[in-house]
Amino acid sequence: MKLSEHMQIAKRSVGLLFSLSKAHIICRILASVIGAVLPYVPIYFSARLLDRLYEGSGAGVLAFYVLLTVGIVFLLSLLHTWLSSRRRMAGTEMYRNENWKYSEKAMQMAYESIEDRDVALLRSRIQRETQTGYNIFQLFSTLEQIVGNMTKIGMSLWLTASFFMLKAISLPAKAALIGGLALTLLCRIVTTKRVAKLDERFYGECVYWNMVSGKFDEYVDDYHSGKDIRIYDMAEGLLTYSTALNREVCRKEHRKNMGQTRVRLANVVMSRILQFGVYLLLLSTALGGGVSVGSIARYVSCIMLLLEAASNLVYNLQVAIVNQEYMKRFFSYFDIPNHMYQGSLTVEKRDDNDYNVEFRDVSFRYPHTQEYALRHVNLKFKVGEKLAVVGMNGSGKTTFIKLMCRLYDPTEGEILLNGVNIKKYDYEEYISIFSVVFQDFRLFSFTLGQNVAAGTVYDETLVRQCLEQAGFGERLESLGMGLDTCLYKDCDENGVEISGGEAQKIALARALYKDAPFMILDEPTAALDPISEYEVFSRFNEIAKDKTAIYISHRLASCRFCDKIAVFDEGRIVQTGNHGELLAQEGGKYYELWHAQAQYYTSEQ
Ligand code: ADP
């Protein structure tokens, strides 16, 4: 990393720290300065006291120095304790803000990025790196320690500056002292570098294992997996896998720790020998004459503190440099752009819901794939039309909807809303005209009412009405707490477990509550039998009224009431028309699928 990049990241990091919690960082820095100054108070006053004692001053003067020392230490200690507890309180706010940043980013990202495996890996890596020691919190403590050590160095230099002016101390003695100091620092630099290298190698190797074991824990802890684990007797296999993984990580960690211990021991031996040498040198030269007893005590203590602080500062700076790599990765995640937010046109709010959509020669490939999921799709549908999208699994139906709702942009071609490329519209406005029930919709462990409204504040009457229209009316009556009933037991022990079919009805109600001009059902009825699916679709058809409704299903029978049916096959639209027209085309895909499925629906027919 270049120096300019280091500077830029450091500046941004400090800004980030302040934005996470100003109170926390200010308290931390002030507490650090006071903590650093504290040991110098008794050193300074004790030296003066000793001199007065040596000079034979009276008890009054001596008592004054004692009281002054105790008083200042007492006040500073009180302030330090108060700042530390304020710091702890603000710390909770900071950790929450940091956590929230990830959730906020995930919600603001383009959907395409959320589905992207590389983005998921990066996010998982920076989140898991909190375990490696190099992370955003390391930045807090490093900054705090840098300020503390610099204060100590400043105080030590201030209190020992006169030492280097003393004529009584010979030049070689002064040079030896500075040499000793430099050697101690060099020792620390070499040791820290080696320890950091060993850490870096180990944690670099751990990224993948951490991720795998995170996924593993998620799977094992989730009660949804509990059924499969028991039925397929997976416990032993999972345990063996996990134990092998842990053993491998522990072995590598042990090797790293042993290497670091050897380096640290060598450093302790070296630096203690050097410190002892400096100590003896100081004492012998000072005792040579020309220096007061109090000053000897002060110089010795301050130079020892200077040695320690300078050595720690070198360590802090090295850690800060290593941590920059983490911060670079951290920012690279938060800098992932959302290119969806480029348009600015407002979507005309029409009372007559007069919207129309056109796919013009649209082709699409998912990121990091070579195969096209959609190929040369051309389709126009009119206001209020009921469109069905049918085809085999994997033929591109959901992809077609994802593109229409602008969760992805086409690789080639364009999609138009009322004749204007949808990229030109304000993204949020555009997306607000769609209500979609996806195949893999998710409900959250909040109340039923909040799930339907997709928000905390809602119109109760409207929510009830939508639930009834979606076929959940009877079940709602049976719930003791009505709309305030919590779904699932994750957040509330009185929560209700709902079946797949019931969940789909709630998801349908949610789509109805949004009351958007476009209603899309992407096989939301997969947990229902074909006849129930037909009923749901028919009911939805009545509810949709003048809205543009799009139904996706691989069950052709469910969609035959639609004005227009688009038949997808291997990413292409191979036929369009109404049920009668399509069935009349013998040898066509629709004809083939209809007859293949018809045998299952004889009673319905
Ligand atoms: P359908 O809804 O008709 O079952 P999809 O639109 O889901 O089909 O899928 C069309 C093709 O795109 C399939 O080959 C599928 O594997 C592929 N596909 C779907 N989602 C993704 C994705 N997120 N990344 C890569 N390929 C995908």
Side-chain angles (χ1 to χ4, degrees), residues 160-202:
T160 50
S162 53
F163 176 86
F164 292 93
M165 312 291 169
L166 287 175
K167 294 216 168 60
I169 315 281
S170 68
L171 214 61
K174 286 176 190 167
L177 189 68
I178 293 172
L181 235 149
L183 264 176
T184 315
L185 294 187
L186 192 72
C187 240
R188 188 72 191 249
I189 293 174
V190 174
T191 323
T192 311
K193 258 205 164 120
R194 183 75 197 130
V195 168
K197 226 186 183 70
L198 288 169
D199 266 340
E200 209 179 318
R201 197 173 66 197
F202 171 70

Coordinates of all heavy atoms in Angstrom, one line a residue, residues 160-202:
T160 N 12.8 15.1 31.4 CA 14.2 14.6 31.3 C 15.1 15.5 30.4 O 16.3 15.2 30.3 CB 14.3 13.1 30.8 OG1 13.6 13.0 29.6 CG2 13.9 12.1 31.8
A161 N 14.4 16.5 29.8 CA 15.2 17.3 28.8 C 16.4 17.9 29.5 O 17.5 17.9 28.9 CB 14.3 18.5 28.3
S162 N 16.3 18.3 30.8 CA 17.4 18.9 31.5 C 18.6 18.0 31.7 O 19.8 18.4 31.8 CB 17.0 19.5 32.8 OG 16.4 18.5 33.5
F163 N 18.3 16.6 31.7 CA 19.3 15.6 31.9 C 20.4 15.7 30.8 O 21.6 15.7 31.0 CB 18.7 14.2 31.9 CG 19.7 13.1 32.0 CD1 20.1 12.7 33.2 CD2 20.2 12.5 30.8 CE1 21.0 11.6 33.3 CE2 21.1 11.5 30.9 CZ 21.5 11.1 32.2
F164 N 19.9 15.9 29.5 CA 20.8 16.0 28.4 C 21.6 17.3 28.4 O 22.6 17.4 27.6 CB 20.1 15.7 27.1 CG 19.5 14.3 27.0 CD1 18.3 14.0 27.4 CD2 20.4 13.3 26.5 CE1 17.8 12.7 27.4 CE2 19.9 12.0 26.5 CZ 18.6 11.7 26.9
M165 N 21.2 18.3 29.1 CA 22.0 19.6 29.2 C 23.1 19.5 30.3 O 24.0 20.4 30.3 CB 21.0 20.7 29.6 CG 19.8 20.8 28.8 SD 20.2 21.2 27.1 CE 18.6 20.9 26.3
L166 N 23.0 18.5 31.2 CA 23.9 18.5 32.3 C 25.3 18.3 31.9 O 25.6 17.3 31.1 CB 23.5 17.3 33.3 CG 22.2 17.6 34.1 CD1 21.9 16.3 34.9 CD2 22.4 18.7 35.0
K167 N 26.2 19.2 32.4 CA 27.6 19.0 32.0 C 28.2 17.9 32.8 O 29.2 17.3 32.4 CB 28.3 20.4 32.4 CG 27.8 21.5 31.5 CD 29.0 22.5 31.2 CE 28.7 23.5 30.2 NZ 27.5 24.3 30.5
A168 N 27.6 17.6 34.0 CA 28.2 16.5 34.8 C 28.1 15.1 34.1 O 28.9 14.2 34.5 CB 27.4 16.5 36.1
I169 N 27.2 15.0 33.1 CA 27.1 13.7 32.4 C 28.0 13.8 31.2 O 27.8 14.7 30.3 CB 25.7 13.4 32.1 CG1 24.7 13.7 33.2 CG2 25.5 12.0 31.5 CD1 24.6 12.7 34.3
S170 N 28.8 12.8 31.0 CA 29.8 12.9 29.9 C 29.0 12.6 28.5 O 28.0 12.0 28.5 CB 30.9 11.9 30.0 OG 30.3 10.6 29.9
L171 N 29.6 13.1 27.5 CA 29.0 12.9 26.1 C 28.9 11.4 25.8 O 27.8 11.0 25.3 CB 29.9 13.6 25.1 CG 29.1 14.3 24.0 CD1 28.1 15.3 24.5 CD2 30.1 14.9 22.9
P172 N 30.0 10.6 26.0 CA 29.8 9.2 25.7 C 28.6 8.5 26.5 O 27.9 7.7 25.9 CB 31.1 8.5 26.1 CG 32.1 9.7 26.1 CD 31.3 10.9 26.4
A173 N 28.5 9.0 27.7 CA 27.4 8.4 28.5 C 26.0 8.7 27.9 O 25.1 7.9 27.8 CB 27.4 8.9 29.9
K174 N 25.9 10.0 27.4 CA 24.6 10.4 26.8 C 24.4 9.6 25.5 O 23.3 9.1 25.2 CB 24.7 11.9 26.5 CG 24.5 12.8 27.7 CD 24.6 14.2 27.4 CE 24.7 15.1 28.6 NZ 25.2 16.4 28.4
A175 N 25.5 9.5 24.7 CA 25.4 8.7 23.5 C 25.0 7.3 23.7 O 24.2 6.7 23.0 CB 26.7 8.8 22.7
A176 N 25.6 6.7 24.8 CA 25.3 5.3 25.1 C 23.8 5.1 25.5 O 23.1 4.2 25.2 CB 26.2 4.8 26.3
L177 N 23.3 6.2 26.2 CA 21.9 6.1 26.6 C 21.0 6.2 25.4 O 20.1 5.4 25.3 CB 21.7 7.4 27.5 CG 20.3 7.4 28.2 CD1 20.3 6.3 29.3 CD2 20.1 8.7 28.9
I178 N 21.3 7.1 24.5 CA 20.5 7.2 23.3 C 20.6 5.9 22.5 O 19.6 5.4 21.9 CB 20.9 8.4 22.4 CG1 20.5 9.7 23.3 CG2 20.2 8.4 21.1 CD1 21.0 11.0 22.7
G179 N 21.8 5.3 22.4 CA 22.0 4.1 21.7 C 21.2 2.9 22.3 O 20.5 2.2 21.6
G180 N 21.2 2.9 23.6 CA 20.4 1.8 24.3 C 18.9 2.0 24.0 O 18.2 1.0 23.8
L181 N 18.5 3.2 24.0 CA 17.1 3.5 23.7 C 16.7 3.0 22.2 O 15.7 2.3 22.0 CB 16.9 5.0 23.7 CG 15.8 5.5 24.6 CD1 16.1 6.9 25.2 CD2 14.5 5.6 23.9
A182 N 17.6 3.4 21.3 CA 17.4 3.0 19.9 C 17.4 1.5 19.7 O 16.6 0.9 19.0 CB 18.5 3.6 19.0
L183 N 18.3 0.8 20.4 CA 18.4 -0.7 20.3 C 17.1 -1.3 20.9 O 16.6 -2.3 20.3 CB 19.6 -1.2 21.1 CG 20.8 -1.4 20.3 CD1 22.0 -1.9 21.2 CD2 20.6 -2.5 19.3
T184 N 16.6 -0.8 22.0 CA 15.3 -1.4 22.5 C 14.2 -1.2 21.5 O 13.4 -2.2 21.3 CB 15.0 -0.6 23.8 OG1 16.1 -0.5 24.6 CG2 13.9 -1.3 24.6
L185 N 14.2 -0.1 20.9 CA 13.1 0.1 19.9 C 13.2 -0.8 18.7 O 12.3 -1.4 18.2 CB 13.1 1.6 19.4 CG 12.8 2.7 20.4 CD1 12.7 4.0 19.7 CD2 11.4 2.3 21.1
L186 N 14.5 -1.0 18.3 CA 14.7 -1.9 17.1 C 14.3 -3.3 17.5 O 13.7 -4.0 16.6 CB 16.2 -1.9 16.8 CG 16.6 -2.5 15.5 CD1 16.2 -1.6 14.4 CD2 18.1 -2.7 15.4
C187 N 14.6 -3.7 18.7 CA 14.2 -5.1 19.2 C 12.7 -5.2 19.0 O 12.1 -6.2 18.5 CB 14.5 -5.2 20.6 SG 15.6 -6.4 21.0
R188 N 12.0 -4.2 19.5 CA 10.5 -4.2 19.5 C 10.0 -4.3 18.0 O 9.0 -5.0 17.7 CB 9.9 -3.0 20.2 CG 8.4 -3.0 20.4 CD 8.1 -4.1 21.5 NE 6.7 -4.3 21.6 CZ 5.9 -4.0 22.6 NH1 6.5 -3.4 23.7 NH2 4.7 -4.3 22.7
I189 N 10.6 -3.5 17.1 CA 10.1 -3.4 15.7 C 10.3 -4.8 15.1 O 9.3 -5.3 14.5 CB 11.0 -2.4 14.9 CG1 10.7 -1.0 15.4 CG2 10.7 -2.5 13.4 CD1 11.5 0.1 14.8
V190 N 11.4 -5.4 15.3 CA 11.7 -6.7 14.7 C 10.7 -7.8 15.2 O 10.0 -8.5 14.5 CB 13.1 -7.2 14.9 CG1 13.4 -8.6 14.4 CG2 14.1 -6.2 14.3
T191 N 10.5 -7.8 16.5 CA 9.6 -8.7 17.1 C 8.1 -8.6 16.6 O 7.5 -9.5 16.2 CB 9.5 -8.5 18.7 OG1 10.8 -8.2 19.1 CG2 9.0 -9.8 19.4
T192 N 7.7 -7.3 16.7 CA 6.3 -7.1 16.3 C 6.0 -7.5 14.8 O 5.0 -8.1 14.5 CB 5.9 -5.6 16.4 OG1 6.4 -5.1 17.7 CG2 4.5 -5.3 16.2
K193 N 7.0 -7.2 14.0 CA 6.9 -7.5 12.5 C 6.7 -9.0 12.4 O 5.9 -9.5 11.7 CB 8.2 -7.1 11.8 CG 8.0 -5.8 11.0 CD 9.0 -5.8 9.9 CE 8.5 -4.8 8.9 NZ 9.4 -3.8 8.7
R194 N 7.6 -9.8 13.1 CA 7.5 -11.2 13.0 C 6.2 -11.8 13.6 O 5.6 -12.7 12.9 CB 8.7 -11.8 13.8 CG 8.9 -13.3 13.8 CD 9.4 -13.8 12.4 NE 9.2 -15.2 12.3 CZ 8.7 -15.8 11.2 NH1 8.3 -15.1 10.2 NH2 8.5 -17.1 11.2
V195 N 5.7 -11.2 14.7 CA 4.5 -11.7 15.3 C 3.3 -11.4 14.3 O 2.4 -12.3 14.1 CB 4.3 -11.0 16.7 CG1 2.8 -11.3 17.2 CG2 5.2 -11.6 17.7
A196 N 3.3 -10.2 13.8 CA 2.2 -9.8 12.9 C 2.2 -10.7 11.6 O 1.2 -11.1 11.1 CB 2.4 -8.4 12.5
K197 N 3.4 -11.1 11.1 CA 3.5 -11.9 9.9 C 2.9 -13.3 10.2 O 2.1 -13.8 9.4 CB 5.0 -12.1 9.5 CG 5.2 -11.9 8.1 CD 6.5 -12.2 7.5 CE 6.5 -11.9 6.1 NZ 6.4 -10.4 5.8
L198 N 3.2 -13.8 11.4 CA 2.7 -15.1 11.8 C 1.1 -15.0 11.9 O 0.4 -15.9 11.4 CB 3.3 -15.6 13.1 CG 4.7 -16.1 13.0 CD1 5.3 -16.3 14.4 CD2 4.8 -17.4 12.2
D199 N 0.6 -13.9 12.5 CA -0.8 -13.7 12.6 C -1.5 -13.7 11.2 O -2.5 -14.3 11.0 CB -1.1 -12.4 13.3 CG -1.3 -12.6 14.8 OD1 -1.5 -13.7 15.2 OD2 -1.1 -11.6 15.5
E200 N -0.8 -12.8 10.4 CA -1.4 -12.6 9.0 C -1.5 -13.9 8.2 O -2.6 -14.2 7.7 CB -0.5 -11.7 8.3 CG -1.2 -10.8 7.3 CD -0.1 -9.9 6.6 OE1 0.7 -9.3 7.3 OE2 -0.2 -9.7 5.4
R201 N -0.5 -14.7 8.3 CA -0.5 -16.0 7.6 C -1.6 -16.9 8.1 O -2.4 -17.5 7.4 CB 0.9 -16.7 7.7 CG 1.0 -17.8 6.6 CD 2.4 -18.3 6.5 NE 2.7 -19.1 7.8 CZ 3.9 -19.4 8.1 NH1 4.9 -19.1 7.4 NH2 4.1 -20.1 9.2
F202 N -1.7 -17.0 9.4 CA -2.7 -17.9 10.1 C -4.1 -17.4 9.7 O -4.9 -18.2 9.3 CB -2.4 -17.9 11.6 CG -3.5 -18.6 12.3 CD1 -3.7 -20.0 12.2 CD2 -4.4 -17.9 13.1 CE1 -4.7 -20.7 12.9 CE2 -5.4 -18.6 13.8 CZ -5.6 -20.0 13.7

